[in-house]
Amino acid sequence: MSEEYKWGMVVDVDRCTGCQACVVACQVENNAPLSSEESFQRRRPMQWIRIERYWEGEYPHIKARFLPLLCQQCGNAPCEPVCPVYATYHNREGLNVQIYPRCIGTRFCANNCPYNARFFNWVEHQWPPVMANYLNPHVTVRPRGIMEKCTFCIHRLHRAQRQAKGEGRVLRDGEVQPACVQTCPTNALVFGNLKDPNSRVSSMVQDERHYRLLEELGTEPSVVYLKKVVPGGRAS
Ligand code: SF4
């Protein structure tokens, strides 16, 4: 494991308004194909980060709750040991990485992911001509037949790390952010180095509202959630 970095994210559910700016930012940054109504109906939408919506209470006292959900970058990732060609593996900085050219499309990893955070390219995606110049040149366009997912905008991380290394230093807290974090208007998403005791994420994961999704499965996610505060000061 890297001595300097272990990347993680904190999602403050209390701050999320469900605006979906993070979803759009992720799709544009990572050249994710546009999901149509038909792709949702066929249960094949492509969203590396999605907003799960829940309803609480009974009409008319009903409230919508939002839960941003992305790859949890599990420390003990169920997707990794089932890949027959090692296309998904754990890197030294705690990320669950996907090697696109190695993937042969068995989809074992997606079937083993309890968070439904992996997406298979069932078709060769086409972008409308008007969007041709919007594709991000720093990110590959994945062809049909392979699996893809969030890796905390690893291309941004690598670029910033190269620059920091050239300057003989480690990355500073907040110096690099995934597109979703950068875009969130309410700062519900915070990204950083869990190995840095002074980073914002390191202090936020100590918050008494913290929890991890499905942690009883032993997946050891690197994404930590902070519970919503409901009237009366309770966290739910
Ligand atoms: S951009 Fe922020 S507030 Fe909007 S849905 Fe995403 S996490 Fe929630």
Side-chain angles (χ1 to χ4, degrees):
M1 291 296 282
S2 162
E3 287 175 6
E4 286 131 7
Y5 305 112
K6 179 176 183 349
W7 301 112
M9 189 182 286
V10 172
V11 180
D12 190 342
V13 177
D14 193 48
R15 284 174 170 265
C16 178
T17 61
C19 70
Q20 308 235 15
C22 53
V23 178
V24 176
C26 171
Q27 294 211 267
V28 173
E29 175 74 16
N30 293 294
N31 298 336
L34 305 176
S35 297
S36 63
E37 186 177 343
E38 188 204 351
S39 60
F40 275 92
Q41 282 170 347
R42 300 184 70 195
R43 303 187 180 184
R44 290 179 182 175
M46 187 78 79
Q47 290 188 320
W48 291 6
I49 178 170
R50 65 180 184 275
I51 307 299
E52 298 269 342
R53 188 178 60 181
Y54 300 93
W55 299 102
E56 248 180 40
E58 292 297 328
Y59 182 83
H61 307 293
I62 193 162
K63 288 251 187 288
R65 304 284 189 224
F66 304 105
L67 187 79
L69 210 146
L70 65 165
C71 173
Q72 305 288 297
Q73 312 295 344
C74 304
N76 185 20
C79 55
E80 290 171 8
V82 294
C83 178
V85 292
Y86 303 103
T88 183
Y89 76 100
H90 221 67
N91 79 0
R92 295 179 69 245
E93 297 173 0
L95 292 181
N96 173 240
V97 184
Q98 181 76 9
I99 307 174
Y100 297 131
R102 190 178 279 179
C103 176
I104 56 171
T106 61
R107 292 177 281 132
F108 295 159
C109 55
N111 290 338
N112 234 29
C113 172
Y115 305 102
N116 199 14
R118 296 178 151 265
F119 301 91
F120 186 67
N121 284 275
W122 291 94
V123 295
E124 198 77 45
H125 295 285
Q126 306 288 336
W127 279 261
V130 70
M131 292 198 65
N133 292 335
Y134 284 74
L135 293 178
N136 184 351
H138 300 293
V139 179
T140 54
V141 175
R142 285 76 55 189
R144 173 176 179 244
I146 63 167
M147 192 63 70
E148 59 181 62
K149 65 181 265 300
C150 158
T151 45
F152 284 163
C153 290
I154 195 169
H155 53 288
R156 289 189 177 199
L157 271 175
H158 283 169
R159 193 171 43 197
Q161 279 173 321
R162 274 197 302 272
Q163 185 168 347
K165 193 174 173 189
E167 294 168 10
R169 59 178 177 84
V170 293
L171 283 176
R172 291 184 281 264
D173 190 31
E175 188 174 344
V176 57
Q177 297 181 330
C180 56
V181 177
Q182 182 186 19
T183 310
C184 177
T186 63
N187 293 328
L189 309 173
V190 178
F191 172 80
N193 182 7
L194 292 167
K195 280 210 168 155
D196 175 1
N198 301 315
S199 70
R200 220 171 135 217
V201 277
S202 292
S203 62
M204 288 179 82
V205 295
Q206 311 292 337
D207 192 294
E208 60 178 17
R209 292 186 289 134
H210 83 273
Y211 67 102
R212 289 176 169 81
L213 290 184
L214 300 177
E215 60 181 329
E216 63 275 18
L217 298 179
T219 49
E220 300 170 16
S222 298
V223 179
V224 173
Y225 288 77
L226 303 186
K227 289 180 186 174
K228 187 165 186 70
V229 179
V230 294
R234 245 177 345 106
S236 80

